[in-house]
Amino acid sequence: MKAIRIHEHGGIEKLRYEEAPEPKLVGHSDAIIKLRAASLNHIDIWNRRGLTGINIAFPRILGGDGAGIVADISDQVKTIKIGDAVCLYPPSGCGRCEFCSTDREYMCIHLRVLGEREDGTYAEYVRVPARNCFPIPGGMSFHEAAAFPLVYVTVWRMLQTNARLKPGEHILILGVGGGVASAALQVAAAIGTHVIVTSSSDEKLDKAKSLGAEQGINYKRSDFAQEIRRLTDKRGVDVVVDCVGGDSWVKSLASLAKGGRLVTCGATAGAKPPTDIQRIFWNHLKIFGSTLGDRMEFREVLEFMAASHTKPIIDQVFPLGDAALAQKRMEEGKQFGKIVLSMDS
């Protein structure tokens, strides 16, 4: 089969489009998926560059998100059948620890995510646990089905499970355009909240407004914390989605109303920013960190997307062989929504 593999860490030149062995059934609960599409996440770039702290066995096929057709199943699999169209829940755990025993595999210390400790979805075929295969919501293409799993289950956990975002509340989403931020915008708008977004691009701010954002702040031209106070009559917002970190962190805390909640799943601008601890306890703020979510949350995402007719925003589709160009676009921050790799090209 054709696949994108890395044989060592480094730049996009390390991505090789080459022949690789097709995966085989190993356990009694495995499934082989003939992939029709995969989508990019920032973790793919961090894995390529060796920035996750995880030892990756080479060669490794990258990619955590995918969708396709069930090509083969092991003898004990009853939940899916050959020919089913499925999207993939990305993580698997050890099956033995306290987290796995309570279906919280995303917290397993031996977590195995596609594209890291397991070969991923930048390929024509992938092996996954059958219980990680879910039916694609009706009316959704393979490209769209590959674009939502990792970011949407993460966003759902941040906004619904942790922040408990409610209709009528005000939410600030930093750095709109990326996969997580655009998913947060869609979920928040569908719930009926007042959405404010930031970006350094007026074009992205205009796009966000067309998708439901009420206000856009260009953080290159103004201090977004001060703008939030102005726009909310000095009250602040109920929830901030900050996956940026760095210099934005203190401003995010300053943007929150009393009792506000900040949710994060990343720190693209720096993981060790200064923190105003007094502001946290005086204003009764809550900070939630999240990565991924459990299968129940994934099912809730699928139900939400079906009921609300929400589809992930697709930025651009590249042929599998052009994965280097796709990752370059993501590294340069040019995308709005998800970048997808197609196996049909």
Side-chain angles (χ1 to χ4, degrees):
M1 69 172 183
K2 289 293 187 181
I4 298 291
R5 300 198 294 182
I6 57 171
H7 294 254
E8 60 182 337
H9 295 302
I12 58 173
E13 74 280 357
K14 302 300 181 182
L15 297 171
R16 297 189 190 177
Y17 181 54
E18 60 189 10
E19 288 291 333
E22 287 189 17
K24 305 297 182 184
L25 297 172
V26 176
H28 293 292
S29 59
D30 286 345
I32 303 296
I33 309 302
K34 180 176 174 57
L35 290 162
R36 299 285 298 277
S39 71
L40 274 62
N41 294 288
H42 280 287
I43 191 67
D44 303 342
I45 294 172
W46 299 335
N47 281 322
R48 189 200 76 215
R49 296 172 62 189
L51 301 178
T52 63
I54 296 174
N55 292 323
I56 294 177
F58 296 116
R60 173 61 75 225
I61 300 172
L62 298 177
D65 274 332
I69 302 293
V70 178
D72 201 3
I73 54 176
S74 295
D75 53 359
Q76 294 184 9
V77 173
K78 306 299 181 184
T79 55
I80 57 174
K81 63 183 184 298
I82 293 173
D84 284 351
V86 295
C87 55
L88 306 179
Y89 173 73
S92 299
C94 67
R96 301 181 300 275
C97 70
E98 60 180 301
F99 301 112
C100 290
S101 64
T102 53
D103 201 26
R104 293 179 293 165
E105 291 181 60
Y106 61 94
M107 294 178 68
C108 176
I109 61 173
H110 302 293
L111 183 68
R112 305 180 72 85
V113 178
L114 293 174
E116 288 185 347
R117 293 190 174 102
E118 302 281 351
D119 275 336
T121 56
Y122 288 17
E124 293 179 318
Y125 292 89
V126 66
R127 180 179 63 244
V128 296
R131 67 195 298 253
N132 284 16
C133 299
F134 288 79
I136 294 175
M140 192 174 285
S141 69
F142 284 109
H143 291 168
E144 292 164 338
F148 80 84
L150 195 151
V151 295
Y152 271 84
V153 73
T154 299
V155 164
W156 193 261
R157 181 168 185 79
M158 289 196 296
L159 296 187
Q160 290 297 293
T161 305
N162 290 335
R164 300 188 181 278
L165 183 66
K166 295 181 287 294
E169 289 192 313
H170 288 76
I171 182 172
L172 169 65
I173 302 170
L174 269 59
V176 74
V180 169
S182 59
L185 167 59
Q186 287 186 291
V187 172
I191 290 171
T193 60
H194 303 286
V195 183
I196 306 171
V197 298
T198 75
S199 176
S200 62
S201 164
D202 289 337
E203 183 180 354
K204 289 184 178 182
L205 293 176
D206 289 340
K207 176 70 172 177
K209 289 177 182 177
S210 73
L211 294 167
E214 295 182 5
Q215 302 285 344
I217 302 170
N218 189 315
Y219 64 80
K220 291 290 188 181
R221 292 201 296 266
S222 60
D223 183 305
F224 72 78
Q226 293 179 5
E227 280 294 294
I228 289 296
R229 292 293 168 183
R230 183 183 67 81
L231 291 169
T232 61
D233 196 23
K234 298 183 180 180
R235 176 184 179 273
V237 297
D238 301 286
V239 175
V240 173
V241 179
D242 182 345
C243 300
V244 178
D247 294 337
S248 298
W249 186 256
V250 171
K251 295 180 182 180
S252 290
L253 292 175
S255 299
L256 285 168
K258 283 193 173 184
R261 296 91 76 194
L262 186 152
V263 292
T264 179
C265 68
T268 55
K272 297 181 180 180
T275 296
D276 186 345
I277 297 175
Q278 286 184 315
R279 181 181 292 276
I280 294 172
F281 62 74
W282 280 120
N283 290 329
H284 300 268
L285 305 182
K286 299 178 180 67
I287 299 174
F288 296 98
S290 300
T291 57
L292 296 169
D294 61 29
R295 287 182 179 80
M296 180 59 70
E297 289 163 324
F298 193 70
R299 292 187 186 96
E300 290 173 355
V301 169
L302 292 172
E303 292 170 0
F304 162 78
M305 299 187 88
S308 65
H309 305 289
T310 299
K311 294 183 178 181
I313 302 165
I314 303 296
D315 171 74
Q316 193 168 335
V317 178
F318 290 82
L320 176 62
D322 287 343
L325 292 176
Q327 284 201 359
K328 183 174 184 289
R329 180 172 177 81
M330 174 172 278
E331 284 188 303
E332 292 174 348
K334 293 181 177 180
Q335 82 280 10
F336 192 108
K338 295 287 290 184
I339 300 172
V340 172
L341 299 177
S342 176
M343 287 62 170
D344 297 329
S345 301

